Amino acid sequence: QVQLAESGGRLVQAGDSLKLSCAAIGHTFSTYAIGWFRQAPGMEREFVAAISWSAGRSTYYADSVKGRFTISRDNAKKTAYLQMNSLKPEDTAVYYCAAEVSGLGSFRTSEYDYWGQGTQVTVSS
């Protein structure tokens, strides 16, 4: 198993940038795919981005964030990141990182095995 903890969320203005971190503790973090999801108040949890465990570090993004957000990972530090640029008010949500044992990455919430507690990002107009 692996424990995940997100950090870096805060109140920012539209157009600002923010980098979220997902720190992990566990024996096999480097073999897990990592996904970022977000959930706005009263809304369903939605896929944001994912990165595979492979050397190629394949990445995937939701259409709503493609070109603005970048997911990355540092296996030596057991940490994944979500760099968010050109933030919009509609990006406001609690952001969660999750680990997928298969290592392939997925946009489906149900495919992820471990979840962090979330970090809140608020983007004002």
Side-chain angles (χ1 to χ4, degrees), residues 6 9-10 12-13 15 22 24 27 29-30 32 40 46 48 53 56 59 61 78 80-82 87 100-101 109-110:
E6 306 91 339
R10 64 182 179 90
V12 298
Q13 294 181 306
C22 174
H27 292 90
F29 173 81
S30 64
Y32 296 164
E46 65 175 353
V48 175
W53 71 268
T59 57
Y61 298 93
K78 293 187 175 182
Y81 306 94
L82 184 68
L87 283 163
E100 183 194 41
V101 174
T109 301
S110 62

Side-chain angles (χ1 to χ4, degrees), residues 10 20 30-31 34 37 44-45 55-56 62 67 75 80 107 113 119:
R10 64 182 179 90
L20 306 182
S30 64
T31 69
I34 298 296
F37 294 78
E44 66 286 344
R45 191 167 298 184
N75 288 342
F107 59 84
D113 303 280
T119 185

Side-chain angles (χ1 to χ4, degrees), residues 78-92:
K78 293 187 175 182
T79 303
Y81 306 94
L82 184 68
Q83 176 66 50
M84 305 185 292
N85 298 326
S86 302
L87 283 163
K88 306 173 181 179
E90 51 262 47
D91 294 319
T92 294

Side-chain angles (χ1 to χ4, degrees), residues 33-34 50-61 71 73 103-105:
I34 298 296
I51 185 168
S52 71
W53 71 268
S54 67
R57 299 289 185 268
S58 299
T59 57
Y60 308 89
Y61 298 93
I71 187 171
R73 66 191 296 166
L104 299 177

